[in-house]
Amino acid sequence: MKRLWMCLLLLWAGGDAVSQNAPGLSLIQCYELARANYPLIKRYGLIAETEAYNVANASKGWLPQLAVNARATHQSEVTTLPFDADRIAALIPGFSVPTVSKNQYQLTAEITQTLWDGGSIHSARESARAQAEAERKQLDSDLYALNERVNQVYFGCLLQNELLRQNLLLQKELKVNTERIEAMINNGIANESDRDMLEVERLNVCQRETELEAGRKAYLAILSALIGQNVDETVALAVPAMPGLTLSMEINRPELAAFDARNQLTEVQHKQVSAGLMPRIGLFVQGGYGRPGLNMLDNSFEPFYIAGFRFSWNFGKFYTLRNDRQKIEASRRMVDVQRETFLFNTSLQLIRHHSDIEKIRKLLETDQEILRLRTSIKEAAGVKLANGVISVADLIREINAEDMARQSSAMHHIQLLTAIYDRLYTTNESPTSN
């Protein structure tokens, strides 16, 4: 096990050395760049603006409220005096009884000032803030999902790079053996067909290099689109550091904070319902112009005003109180169910990650021994070929077997890193905390 981790450290140190000699990117940098480049991040500013507008609008409930009304009416009856106006006019010269027109007109302007609203304005401000916070936490969760996509692409690039490195090693191996066969041909102990077999194998390896190059370019193009920067084969991608062997089981994902924010929003909504039950107290001043004015017996157009204290209590809110509270409680329970479901699914993912990590670690424990044995068998095959015991086809088979062992070891190294960083993503654990 110690040899395994020493080999891993040497591999990562080599990757760090390469990255120091060329413009490079780290996985953490890619996380940050992808987040900054993703169009959804613009929603943070929009959420802040909306919150400011909603809070300001709610606060304006304390400002004096102005209302203007106008009406023109025709009514079937008007106010009359309870005596015979004509008879009195005959007895008293010059006496006349005013009559009110059945057509009436009125224009009023009223200013009201709230003194106490039972906490409705305060709860409206708190609701606006809680709603904005819930949206921000949900946005945090949505943007966090980018890390998983970056992991897939970044480690895909690293795997392509490592396979290309192994491909070049195989090409060098075939070139050395081709030169050995040419020397044997010159000494009359090999023929042209033996060299042709090695040349065919070399061309196959070159074709494989072309495929790997195309795959790497595709991964780099996706990474470039994700982070908003041009990344090509000249940019060194740093191999991430290997976290410690002990990984935390604590789940600290942004989704949990989003669930908490939504629960907080339901608490504020409860307070809003309670505030709606309270009476309202305020002052008002009403001024107007109409016919009649305040004197109902004066049939002329007159200005007028009324000022006073107003108390109002809408008992209609009590009719829906129970349903309103149960509806909010149902929303809270729904959030709890979503939270429980998320934790359940995440726990299943952690079990799978743990199984993958343990499997790859066990594979890595035998990779070095397999590679050592394959190298020994290949070298022995070279000696046997020189002694005429085996054919070139046998040597090629052993060379390919050693290459497959190298590729398998390299893939397991990258797969272990990928599995561990996928697990870190699942728990939202920082790799530097191990």
Side-chain angles (χ1 to χ4, degrees), residues 239-259:
V239 179
M242 176 66 71
L245 294 177
T246 303
L247 297 174
S248 173
M249 292 296 293
E250 182 181 358
I251 299 174
N252 190 30
R253 289 278 289 273
E255 288 88 343
L256 298 180
F259 293 139

Side-chain angles (χ1 to χ4, degrees), residues 204-232:
N204 288 334
V205 174
C206 289
Q207 286 185 337
R208 176 61 178 159
E209 180 187 15
T210 301
E211 293 175 354
L212 291 172
E213 286 284 0
R216 179 170 68 174
K217 287 182 179 179
Y219 274 109
L220 291 175
I222 297 174
L223 184 61
S224 299
L226 271 176
I227 67 176
Q229 292 189 8
N230 182 42
V231 183
D232 55 27

Side-chain angles (χ1 to χ4, degrees), residues 136-365:
R136 273 191 290 267
K137 294 301 182 182
Q138 183 59 49
L139 185 54
D140 289 341
S141 173
D142 295 339
L143 289 174
Y144 181 73
L146 279 175
N147 290 359
E148 184 178 26
R149 297 170 65 180
V150 171
N151 281 350
Q152 294 172 352
V153 178
Y154 192 91
F155 286 109
C157 292
L158 290 182
L159 180 59
Q160 296 299 108
N161 289 340
E162 185 59 27
L163 292 179
L164 278 168
R165 190 175 74 86
Q166 298 298 329
N167 184 276
L168 292 176
L169 291 175
L170 180 58
Q171 289 187 44
K172 291 180 180 179
E173 179 73 24
L174 291 173
K175 181 179 179 182
V176 169
N177 281 280
T178 299
E179 293 173 352
R180 179 188 298 177
I181 293 297
E182 287 178 349
M184 294 173 66
I185 291 173
N186 293 334
N187 292 329
I189 57 177
N191 52 50
E192 295 290 338
S193 63
D194 294 330
R195 182 179 60 190
D196 291 343
M197 290 178 64
L198 282 171
E199 181 63 18
V200 168
E201 190 63 27
R202 188 189 68 81
L203 291 175
N204 288 334
V205 174
C206 289
Q207 286 185 337
R208 176 61 178 159
E209 180 187 15
T210 301
E211 293 175 354
L212 291 172
E213 286 284 0
R216 179 170 68 174
K217 287 182 179 179
Y219 274 109
L220 291 175
I222 297 174
L223 184 61
S224 299
L226 271 176
I227 67 176
Q229 292 189 8
N230 182 42
V231 183
D232 55 27
E233 57 274 7
T234 63
V235 178
L237 300 180
V239 179
M242 176 66 71
L245 294 177
T246 303
L247 297 174
S248 173
M249 292 296 293
E250 182 181 358
I251 299 174
N252 190 30
R253 289 278 289 273
E255 288 88 343
L256 298 180
F259 293 139
D260 291 340
R262 288 167 61 186
N263 275 332
Q264 184 61 35
L265 178 59
T266 61
E267 293 297 326
V268 175
Q269 290 172 341
H270 269 295
K271 294 179 181 178
Q272 275 190 296
V273 171
S274 298
L277 302 174
M278 297 294 104
R280 304 296 190 262
I281 300 175
L283 302 174
F284 75 94
V285 175
Q286 184 184 87
Y289 184 76
R291 189 188 72 178
L294 295 182
N295 184 357
M296 295 299 297
L297 298 178
D298 187 351
N299 198 39
S300 62
F301 282 91
E302 294 291 339
F304 61 89
Y305 78 91
I306 303 174
F309 171 86
R310 178 175 290 162
F311 176 91
S312 63
W313 198 342
N314 182 8
F315 289 96
K317 293 287 186 179
F318 286 95
Y319 300 150
T320 60
L321 175 62
R322 180 182 176 84
N323 289 341
D324 289 340
R325 287 181 172 172
Q326 288 185 342
K327 182 172 65 175
I328 295 172
E329 181 62 20
S331 298
R332 187 194 63 78
R333 291 199 303 268
M334 186 179 299
V335 173
D336 289 342
V337 170
Q338 291 174 345
R339 180 191 183 96
E340 183 180 354
T341 303
F342 171 78
L343 289 173
F344 179 79
N345 291 333
T346 305
S347 298
L348 294 181
Q349 287 182 325
L350 285 177
I351 294 173
R352 180 175 60 82
H353 290 321
H354 178 75
S355 176
D356 291 343
I357 291 171
E358 290 303 313
K359 177 190 70 176
I360 299 171
R361 280 175 174 169
K362 290 180 180 179
L363 292 175
L364 279 168
E365 290 176 4

Side-chain angles (χ1 to χ4, degrees), residues 1 3-5 7-8 354-372 404-417 419:
M1 194 66 180
R3 290 178 57 192
L4 166 64
W5 289 107
C7 293
L8 287 173
H354 178 75
S355 176
D356 291 343
I357 291 171
E358 290 303 313
K359 177 190 70 176
I360 299 171
R361 280 175 174 169
K362 290 180 180 179
L363 292 175
L364 279 168
E365 290 176 4
T366 57
D367 275 343
Q368 294 303 313
E369 183 63 18
I370 292 174
L371 181 57
R372 185 188 67 80
M404 289 300 296
R406 290 185 185 278
Q407 288 190 38
S408 179
S409 178
M411 289 178 63
H412 289 157
H413 283 94
I414 301 300
Q415 286 173 353
L416 179 60
L417 274 175

